[in-house]
Short mmCIF file of all heavy atoms in Angstrom, two decimals:
data_model
loop_
_atom_site.label_atom_id
_atom_site.label_comp_id
_atom_site.label_asym_id
_atom_site.label_seq_id
_atom_site.Cartn_x
_atom_site.Cartn_y
_atom_site.Cartn_z
N MET K 10 0.85 -1.19 0.00
CA MET K 10 0.00 0.00 0.00
C MET K 10 0.89 1.24 0.00
O MET K 10 1.97 1.22 0.56
CB MET K 10 -0.87 0.01 1.24
CG MET K 10 -1.80 -1.16 1.31
SD MET K 10 -2.86 -1.03 2.77
CE MET K 10 -4.33 -0.38 2.01
N LYS K 11 0.36 2.29 -0.62
CA LYS K 11 1.11 3.54 -0.69
C LYS K 11 0.28 4.68 -0.12
O LYS K 11 -0.95 4.64 -0.15
CB LYS K 11 1.45 3.88 -2.12
CG LYS K 11 2.55 3.00 -2.67
CD LYS K 11 3.03 3.53 -3.99
CE LYS K 11 4.16 2.64 -4.49
NZ LYS K 11 4.75 3.15 -5.70
N ALA K 12 0.97 5.70 0.37
CA ALA K 12 0.29 6.90 0.89
C ALA K 12 0.55 8.05 -0.06
O ALA K 12 1.63 8.15 -0.66
CB ALA K 12 0.84 7.23 2.28
N TYR K 13 -0.44 8.90 -0.17
CA TYR K 13 -0.33 10.09 -1.02
C TYR K 13 -0.86 11.29 -0.24
O TYR K 13 -1.88 11.17 0.43
CB TYR K 13 -1.20 9.94 -2.27
CG TYR K 13 -0.87 8.72 -3.08
CD1 TYR K 13 -1.52 7.51 -2.83
CD2 TYR K 13 0.12 8.78 -4.06
CE1 TYR K 13 -1.19 6.38 -3.56
CE2 TYR K 13 0.44 7.65 -4.79
CZ TYR K 13 -0.22 6.45 -4.54
OH TYR K 13 0.11 5.32 -5.26
N VAL K 14 -0.18 12.42 -0.38
CA VAL K 14 -0.68 13.67 0.21
C VAL K 14 -1.10 14.59 -0.93
O VAL K 14 -0.34 14.80 -1.87
CB VAL K 14 0.41 14.36 1.06
CG1 VAL K 14 -0.09 15.72 1.55
CG2 VAL K 14 0.82 13.48 2.23
N ASP K 15 -2.31 15.10 -0.85
CA ASP K 15 -2.77 16.08 -1.84
C ASP K 15 -2.23 17.44 -1.42
O ASP K 15 -2.66 18.03 -0.43
CB ASP K 15 -4.30 16.08 -1.87
CG ASP K 15 -4.84 17.02 -2.95
OD1 ASP K 15 -4.16 18.01 -3.28
OD2 ASP K 15 -5.94 16.74 -3.45
N ASP K 16 -1.26 17.92 -2.20
CA ASP K 16 -0.59 19.16 -1.77
C ASP K 16 -1.46 20.39 -1.96
O ASP K 16 -1.15 21.47 -1.47
CB ASP K 16 0.81 19.31 -2.37
CG ASP K 16 0.85 19.15 -3.85
OD1 ASP K 16 -0.22 19.12 -4.48
OD2 ASP K 16 1.97 19.05 -4.39
N ASP K 17 -2.59 20.24 -2.67
CA ASP K 17 -3.53 21.37 -2.74
C ASP K 17 -4.37 21.46 -1.47
O ASP K 17 -4.90 22.52 -1.15
CB ASP K 17 -4.48 21.22 -3.93
CG ASP K 17 -3.75 21.45 -5.24
OD1 ASP K 17 -2.77 22.23 -5.25
OD2 ASP K 17 -4.15 20.84 -6.24
N LEU K 18 -4.53 20.33 -0.78
CA LEU K 18 -5.37 20.32 0.43
C LEU K 18 -4.57 20.51 1.71
O LEU K 18 -5.05 21.11 2.67
CB LEU K 18 -6.13 18.98 0.52
CG LEU K 18 -7.21 18.74 -0.52
CD1 LEU K 18 -7.82 17.35 -0.33
CD2 LEU K 18 -8.31 19.79 -0.42
N CYS K 19 -3.35 19.97 1.76
CA CYS K 19 -2.55 20.01 2.99
C CYS K 19 -2.35 21.46 3.44
O CYS K 19 -2.00 22.33 2.65
CB CYS K 19 -1.20 19.36 2.74
SG CYS K 19 -0.07 19.51 4.14
N ILE K 20 -2.62 21.69 4.73
CA ILE K 20 -2.42 23.03 5.30
C ILE K 20 -1.16 23.06 6.19
O ILE K 20 -0.93 24.02 6.91
CB ILE K 20 -3.65 23.48 6.11
CG1 ILE K 20 -4.00 22.46 7.20
CG2 ILE K 20 -4.84 23.74 5.18
CD1 ILE K 20 -5.06 22.94 8.20
N GLY K 21 -0.40 21.97 6.14
CA GLY K 21 0.87 21.95 6.87
C GLY K 21 0.72 21.88 8.38
O GLY K 21 1.56 22.40 9.11
N CYS K 22 -0.33 21.20 8.84
CA CYS K 22 -0.55 21.16 10.29
C CYS K 22 0.52 20.36 11.02
O CYS K 22 0.71 20.53 12.22
CB CYS K 22 -1.94 20.64 10.62
SG CYS K 22 -2.07 18.85 10.49
N GLY K 23 1.18 19.44 10.33
CA GLY K 23 2.28 18.70 10.93
C GLY K 23 1.89 17.44 11.68
O GLY K 23 2.75 16.77 12.25
N THR K 24 0.61 17.09 11.66
CA THR K 24 0.18 15.90 12.41
C THR K 24 0.72 14.61 11.80
O THR K 24 1.18 13.73 12.52
CB THR K 24 -1.36 15.83 12.47
OG1 THR K 24 -1.83 17.01 13.09
CG2 THR K 24 -1.83 14.61 13.24
N CYS K 25 0.67 14.49 10.48
CA CYS K 25 1.03 13.19 9.89
C CYS K 25 2.49 12.80 10.15
O CYS K 25 2.74 11.65 10.53
CB CYS K 25 0.62 13.08 8.44
SG CYS K 25 1.22 14.36 7.34
N PRO K 26 3.47 13.72 10.01
CA PRO K 26 4.83 13.29 10.34
C PRO K 26 5.03 13.02 11.83
O PRO K 26 5.91 12.24 12.21
CB PRO K 26 5.72 14.45 9.86
CG PRO K 26 4.81 15.59 9.66
CD PRO K 26 3.45 15.05 9.41
N GLU K 27 4.18 13.65 12.64
CA GLU K 27 4.29 13.37 14.08
C GLU K 27 3.77 11.96 14.38
O GLU K 27 4.37 11.23 15.16
CB GLU K 27 3.41 14.40 14.81
CG GLU K 27 3.82 14.70 16.20
CD GLU K 27 3.02 15.91 16.69
OE1 GLU K 27 3.31 17.04 16.24
OE2 GLU K 27 2.12 15.69 17.50
N VAL K 28 2.67 11.58 13.75
CA VAL K 28 2.06 10.26 14.01
C VAL K 28 2.85 9.15 13.31
O VAL K 28 3.00 8.05 13.84
CB VAL K 28 0.58 10.26 13.54
CG1 VAL K 28 -0.03 8.88 13.65
CG2 VAL K 28 -0.23 11.27 14.35
N CYS K 29 3.35 9.42 12.11
CA CYS K 29 4.03 8.37 11.34
C CYS K 29 5.21 8.94 10.56
O CYS K 29 5.16 9.11 9.34
CB CYS K 29 3.04 7.69 10.41
SG CYS K 29 3.74 6.22 9.66
N PRO K 30 6.31 9.24 11.27
CA PRO K 30 7.47 9.86 10.60
C PRO K 30 8.16 8.94 9.60
O PRO K 30 8.93 9.42 8.77
CB PRO K 30 8.41 10.20 11.77
CG PRO K 30 7.98 9.33 12.90
CD PRO K 30 6.51 9.06 12.71
N GLU K 31 7.87 7.63 9.67
CA GLU K 31 8.49 6.71 8.71
C GLU K 31 7.92 6.92 7.30
O GLU K 31 8.53 6.53 6.32
CB GLU K 31 8.23 5.25 9.12
CG GLU K 31 8.87 4.84 10.44
CD GLU K 31 8.03 5.20 11.67
OE1 GLU K 31 6.98 5.88 11.54
OE2 GLU K 31 8.45 4.82 12.77
N VAL K 32 6.72 7.48 7.23
CA VAL K 32 6.05 7.62 5.93
C VAL K 32 5.90 9.08 5.50
O VAL K 32 6.01 9.39 4.31
CB VAL K 32 4.66 6.93 5.98
CG1 VAL K 32 3.83 7.22 4.73
CG2 VAL K 32 4.83 5.43 6.18
N PHE K 33 5.67 9.98 6.45
CA PHE K 33 5.40 11.38 6.10
C PHE K 33 6.51 12.29 6.60
O PHE K 33 7.05 12.08 7.69
CB PHE K 33 4.07 11.83 6.73
CG PHE K 33 2.91 11.00 6.29
CD1 PHE K 33 2.43 9.97 7.11
CD2 PHE K 33 2.28 11.21 5.07
CE1 PHE K 33 1.36 9.17 6.71
CE2 PHE K 33 1.22 10.42 4.66
CZ PHE K 33 0.75 9.40 5.48
N HIS K 34 6.82 13.30 5.81
CA HIS K 34 7.76 14.33 6.27
C HIS K 34 7.31 15.67 5.73
O HIS K 34 6.59 15.74 4.72
CB HIS K 34 9.19 14.01 5.84
CG HIS K 34 9.37 14.02 4.36
ND1 HIS K 34 9.12 12.92 3.57
CD2 HIS K 34 9.73 15.01 3.52
CE1 HIS K 34 9.35 13.25 2.30
NE2 HIS K 34 9.71 14.51 2.23
N MET K 35 7.71 16.72 6.41
CA MET K 35 7.37 18.07 5.96
C MET K 35 8.44 18.51 4.96
O MET K 35 9.62 18.24 5.13
CB MET K 35 7.32 19.06 7.12
CG MET K 35 6.31 18.72 8.21
SD MET K 35 4.62 18.49 7.62
CE MET K 35 4.20 20.17 7.14
N THR K 36 8.03 19.22 3.94
CA THR K 36 8.98 19.75 2.96
C THR K 36 9.27 21.21 3.30
O THR K 36 8.61 21.81 4.15
CB THR K 36 8.38 19.67 1.54
OG1 THR K 36 7.19 20.45 1.53
CG2 THR K 36 8.06 18.25 1.16
N ASP K 37 10.25 21.77 2.59
CA ASP K 37 10.64 23.16 2.85
C ASP K 37 9.50 24.13 2.55
O ASP K 37 9.47 25.24 3.07
CB ASP K 37 11.84 23.55 1.99
CG ASP K 37 13.09 22.85 2.47
OD1 ASP K 37 13.09 22.37 3.62
OD2 ASP K 37 14.06 22.78 1.69
N ASP K 38 8.57 23.71 1.69
CA ASP K 38 7.45 24.61 1.39
C ASP K 38 6.30 24.46 2.39
O ASP K 38 5.22 25.03 2.19
CB ASP K 38 6.99 24.48 -0.07
CG ASP K 38 6.80 23.05 -0.51
OD1 ASP K 38 6.90 22.16 0.35
OD2 ASP K 38 6.55 22.82 -1.71
N GLY K 39 6.53 23.70 3.46
CA GLY K 39 5.57 23.67 4.57
C GLY K 39 4.39 22.75 4.38
O GLY K 39 3.40 22.85 5.11
N ILE K 40 4.48 21.84 3.41
CA ILE K 40 3.43 20.84 3.28
C ILE K 40 4.05 19.46 3.42
O ILE K 40 5.27 19.30 3.34
CB ILE K 40 2.66 20.96 1.94
CG1 ILE K 40 3.61 20.85 0.78
CG2 ILE K 40 1.84 22.23 1.89
CD1 ILE K 40 2.88 20.75 -0.54
N ALA K 41 3.17 18.48 3.66
CA ALA K 41 3.67 17.13 3.89
C ALA K 41 3.84 16.38 2.58
O ALA K 41 3.11 16.63 1.62
CB ALA K 41 2.70 16.38 4.79
N HIS K 42 4.81 15.47 2.56
CA HIS K 42 4.97 14.54 1.46
C HIS K 42 5.05 13.14 2.05
O HIS K 42 5.55 12.96 3.16
CB HIS K 42 6.26 14.83 0.69
CG HIS K 42 6.05 15.76 -0.45
ND1 HIS K 42 6.68 15.61 -1.65
CD2 HIS K 42 5.27 16.85 -0.56
CE1 HIS K 42 6.29 16.59 -2.47
NE2 HIS K 42 5.44 17.36 -1.83
N ALA K 43 4.60 12.18 1.26
CA ALA K 43 4.70 10.78 1.69
C ALA K 43 5.83 10.11 0.92
O ALA K 43 6.14 10.52 -0.21
CB ALA K 43 3.39 10.07 1.40
N ILE K 44 6.41 9.10 1.50
CA ILE K 44 7.40 8.30 0.78
C ILE K 44 6.74 7.71 -0.47
O ILE K 44 5.54 7.43 -0.46
CB ILE K 44 7.97 7.15 1.65
CG1 ILE K 44 6.86 6.25 2.20
CG2 ILE K 44 8.82 7.70 2.77
CD1 ILE K 44 7.37 4.97 2.87
N ASN K 45 7.50 7.55 -1.56
CA ASN K 45 6.83 7.01 -2.75
C ASN K 45 7.08 5.53 -2.95
O ASN K 45 6.89 5.00 -4.02
CB ASN K 45 7.12 7.85 -4.00
CG ASN K 45 8.58 8.00 -4.24
OD1 ASN K 45 9.37 7.25 -3.66
ND2 ASN K 45 8.95 8.95 -5.07
N THR K 46 7.46 4.87 -1.86
CA THR K 46 7.57 3.41 -1.90
C THR K 46 6.44 2.84 -1.03
O THR K 46 5.74 3.59 -0.35
CB THR K 46 8.91 2.96 -1.33
OG1 THR K 46 9.08 3.56 -0.05
CG2 THR K 46 10.06 3.41 -2.22
N ASP K 47 6.27 1.51 -1.09
CA ASP K 47 5.23 0.89 -0.28
C ASP K 47 5.43 1.19 1.21
O ASP K 47 6.58 1.26 1.68
CB ASP K 47 5.24 -0.62 -0.48
CG ASP K 47 4.51 -1.03 -1.74
OD1 ASP K 47 3.73 -0.22 -2.28
OD2 ASP K 47 4.72 -2.17 -2.17
N ILE K 48 4.32 1.35 1.90
CA ILE K 48 4.37 1.59 3.35
C ILE K 48 4.85 0.29 4.02
O ILE K 48 4.24 -0.76 3.80
CB ILE K 48 2.98 1.96 3.89
CG1 ILE K 48 2.45 3.22 3.19
CG2 ILE K 48 3.02 2.14 5.40
CD1 ILE K 48 0.97 3.49 3.47
N PRO K 49 5.93 0.36 4.83
CA PRO K 49 6.36 -0.87 5.51
C PRO K 49 5.24 -1.42 6.40
O PRO K 49 4.52 -0.64 7.04
CB PRO K 49 7.56 -0.40 6.36
CG PRO K 49 8.01 0.89 5.73
CD PRO K 49 6.77 1.51 5.13
N ASP K 50 5.09 -2.75 6.44
CA ASP K 50 4.00 -3.37 7.20
C ASP K 50 3.98 -2.93 8.66
O ASP K 50 2.92 -2.74 9.24
CB ASP K 50 4.13 -4.90 7.18
CG ASP K 50 3.69 -5.47 5.85
OD1 ASP K 50 3.05 -4.74 5.06
OD2 ASP K 50 4.01 -6.65 5.59
N ASP K 51 5.16 -2.76 9.24
CA ASP K 51 5.20 -2.47 10.67
C ASP K 51 4.74 -1.05 11.01
O ASP K 51 4.53 -0.75 12.19
CB ASP K 51 6.59 -2.76 11.26
CG ASP K 51 7.69 -1.97 10.61
OD1 ASP K 51 7.52 -1.53 9.45
OD2 ASP K 51 8.74 -1.79 11.24
N VAL K 52 4.59 -0.19 10.03
CA VAL K 52 4.11 1.16 10.32
C VAL K 52 2.77 1.46 9.62
O VAL K 52 2.28 2.58 9.68
CB VAL K 52 5.15 2.26 9.99
CG1 VAL K 52 6.40 2.07 10.84
CG2 VAL K 52 5.49 2.29 8.52
N LEU K 53 2.18 0.43 9.03
CA LEU K 53 0.93 0.64 8.30
C LEU K 53 -0.18 1.18 9.21
O LEU K 53 -0.94 2.08 8.83
CB LEU K 53 0.51 -0.66 7.61
CG LEU K 53 -0.70 -0.59 6.70
CD1 LEU K 53 -0.52 0.46 5.59
CD2 LEU K 53 -0.95 -1.96 6.06
N GLY K 54 -0.26 0.64 10.43
CA GLY K 54 -1.28 1.11 11.37
C GLY K 54 -1.10 2.59 11.68
O GLY K 54 -2.07 3.35 11.72
N ASN K 55 0.15 2.99 11.89
CA ASN K 55 0.41 4.41 12.17
C ASN K 55 0.11 5.28 10.96
O ASN K 55 -0.40 6.40 11.10
CB ASN K 55 1.87 4.62 12.57
CG ASN K 55 2.16 4.13 13.97
OD1 ASN K 55 1.27 3.75 14.70
ND2 ASN K 55 3.43 4.13 14.33
N ALA K 56 0.41 4.78 9.78
CA ALA K 56 0.13 5.56 8.56
C ALA K 56 -1.37 5.77 8.42
O ALA K 56 -1.84 6.86 8.07
CB ALA K 56 0.71 4.85 7.34
N LYS K 57 -2.15 4.72 8.71
CA LYS K 57 -3.61 4.85 8.63
C LYS K 57 -4.12 5.82 9.69
O LYS K 57 -5.04 6.60 9.44
CB LYS K 57 -4.27 3.48 8.79
CG LYS K 57 -4.08 2.62 7.56
CD LYS K 57 -4.77 1.28 7.70
CE LYS K 57 -4.67 0.51 6.39
NZ LYS K 57 -5.16 -0.87 6.54
N GLU K 58 -3.51 5.76 10.87
CA GLU K 58 -3.91 6.70 11.93
C GLU K 58 -3.61 8.14 11.50
O GLU K 58 -4.41 9.05 11.71
CB GLU K 58 -3.18 6.36 13.22
CG GLU K 58 -3.71 7.12 14.41
CD GLU K 58 -2.89 6.85 15.68
OE1 GLU K 58 -2.36 5.73 15.83
OE2 GLU K 58 -2.79 7.78 16.48
N ALA K 59 -2.47 8.35 10.87
CA ALA K 59 -2.12 9.69 10.38
C ALA K 59 -3.14 10.15 9.36
O ALA K 59 -3.60 11.31 9.38
CB ALA K 59 -0.72 9.67 9.76
N CYS K 60 -3.53 9.24 8.48
CA CYS K 60 -4.53 9.56 7.46
C CYS K 60 -5.83 9.99 8.11
O CYS K 60 -6.43 11.01 7.74
CB CYS K 60 -4.71 8.30 6.60
SG CYS K 60 -5.98 8.43 5.36
N GLU K 61 -6.26 9.23 9.13
CA GLU K 61 -7.52 9.56 9.80
C GLU K 61 -7.41 10.85 10.62
O GLU K 61 -8.41 11.51 10.88
CB GLU K 61 -7.94 8.40 10.71
CG GLU K 61 -8.54 7.27 9.89
CD GLU K 61 -8.49 5.93 10.60
OE1 GLU K 61 -8.33 5.90 11.84
OE2 GLU K 61 -8.61 4.91 9.89
N SER K 62 -6.20 11.20 11.03
CA SER K 62 -6.00 12.37 11.89
C SER K 62 -5.89 13.67 11.11
O SER K 62 -5.94 14.75 11.69
CB SER K 62 -4.72 12.22 12.70
OG SER K 62 -4.78 11.05 13.48
N CYS K 63 -5.71 13.57 9.81
CA CYS K 63 -5.52 14.81 9.03
C CYS K 63 -6.80 15.64 9.07
O CYS K 63 -7.87 15.16 8.71
CB CYS K 63 -5.15 14.47 7.58
SG CYS K 63 -5.01 15.96 6.58
N PRO K 64 -6.71 16.90 9.49
CA PRO K 64 -7.92 17.71 9.65
C PRO K 64 -8.58 18.11 8.34
O PRO K 64 -9.73 18.52 8.33
CB PRO K 64 -7.41 18.96 10.39
CG PRO K 64 -5.96 19.05 10.04
CD PRO K 64 -5.49 17.62 9.89
N VAL K 65 -7.85 17.99 7.23
CA VAL K 65 -8.44 18.40 5.95
C VAL K 65 -8.53 17.24 4.95
O VAL K 65 -8.73 17.45 3.76
CB VAL K 65 -7.64 19.58 5.33
CG1 VAL K 65 -7.79 20.84 6.17
CG2 VAL K 65 -6.17 19.23 5.14
N ASP K 66 -8.38 16.00 5.46
CA ASP K 66 -8.50 14.82 4.60
C ASP K 66 -7.60 14.87 3.38
O ASP K 66 -8.04 14.53 2.27
CB ASP K 66 -9.96 14.70 4.10
CG ASP K 66 -10.74 13.73 4.96
OD1 ASP K 66 -10.10 12.92 5.63
OD2 ASP K 66 -11.97 13.81 4.93
N ALA K 67 -6.37 15.29 3.59
CA ALA K 67 -5.46 15.43 2.44
C ALA K 67 -4.72 14.14 2.12
O ALA K 67 -4.01 14.10 1.12
CB ALA K 67 -4.45 16.54 2.74
N ILE K 68 -4.88 13.11 2.96
CA ILE K 68 -4.08 11.89 2.77
C ILE K 68 -4.95 10.76 2.24
O ILE K 68 -6.06 10.55 2.72
CB ILE K 68 -3.46 11.46 4.13
CG1 ILE K 68 -2.57 12.58 4.67
CG2 ILE K 68 -2.65 10.16 3.95
CD1 ILE K 68 -2.09 12.33 6.10
N ASP K 69 -4.41 10.05 1.24
CA ASP K 69 -5.05 8.83 0.73
C ASP K 69 -4.08 7.68 0.91
O ASP K 69 -2.88 7.86 0.68
CB ASP K 69 -5.31 8.95 -0.77
CG ASP K 69 -6.69 9.49 -1.03
OD1 ASP K 69 -7.59 9.23 -0.23
OD2 ASP K 69 -6.83 10.18 -2.06
N ILE K 70 -4.61 6.54 1.25
CA ILE K 70 -3.80 5.32 1.29
C ILE K 70 -4.49 4.30 0.40
O ILE K 70 -5.66 4.00 0.59
CB ILE K 70 -3.66 4.79 2.73
CG1 ILE K 70 -2.84 5.79 3.55
CG2 ILE K 70 -2.98 3.42 2.73
CD1 ILE K 70 -2.61 5.41 5.00
N ASP K 71 -3.78 3.83 -0.64
CA ASP K 71 -4.36 2.84 -1.54
C ASP K 71 -3.39 1.70 -1.77
O ASP K 71 -2.23 1.80 -1.48
CB ASP K 71 -4.54 3.29 -3.00
CG ASP K 71 -4.95 4.64 -3.25
OD1 ASP K 71 -5.75 5.11 -2.51
OD2 ASP K 71 -4.46 5.17 -4.26
N ASP K 72 -3.93 0.68 -2.43
CA ASP K 72 -3.14 -0.50 -2.80
C ASP K 72 -2.14 -0.15 -3.88
O ASP K 72 -2.42 0.64 -4.73
CB ASP K 72 -4.05 -1.61 -3.33
CG ASP K 72 -4.95 -2.11 -2.22
OD1 ASP K 72 -4.53 -2.05 -1.06
OD2 ASP K 72 -6.06 -2.56 -2.55
FE1 LIG M 27 -0.95 18.24 5.91
FE2 LIG M 27 -2.84 16.75 6.87
FE3 LIG M 27 -0.37 16.07 7.23
S1 LIG M 27 -2.82 18.96 6.80
S2 LIG M 27 0.70 18.01 7.37
S3 LIG M 27 -1.42 16.17 5.29
S4 LIG M 27 -1.99 15.81 8.68
#
């Protein structure tokens, strides 16, 4: 599974890298980016939690 951040929606709240730093990081332009490789199994739960915690629903996780 992979995670995607919609950079038009992200407001840079910083929650996703706090909840799952293995998958999300903040860029210099103040929005989040996700790793572009598969989410490691051991952090998948945290990645889903980050997705659910985003206040503007900017994160998608798909197969
Ligand atoms: Fe942006 Fe949502 Fe993460 S607003 S910083 S994608 S929690």
Side-chain angles (χ1 to χ4, degrees):
M10 298 183 99
K11 287 191 178 185
Y13 303 91
V14 175
D15 184 331
D16 51 11
D17 289 330
L18 291 177
C19 174
I20 56 170
C22 78
T24 301
C25 55
E27 206 170 287
V28 174
C29 190
E31 296 84 354
V32 172
F33 301 98
H34 64 274
M35 300 305 291
T36 60
D37 290 342
D38 48 7
I40 57 171
H42 268 219
I44 56 171
N45 55 17
T46 53
D47 279 343
I48 301 168
D50 284 346
D51 59 337
V52 298
L53 186 56
N55 286 353
K57 288 182 174 172
E58 190 184 328
C60 175
E61 283 158 18
S62 302
C63 177
V65 293
D66 263 340
I68 301 171
D69 268 329
I70 293 180
D71 322 322
D72 293 331

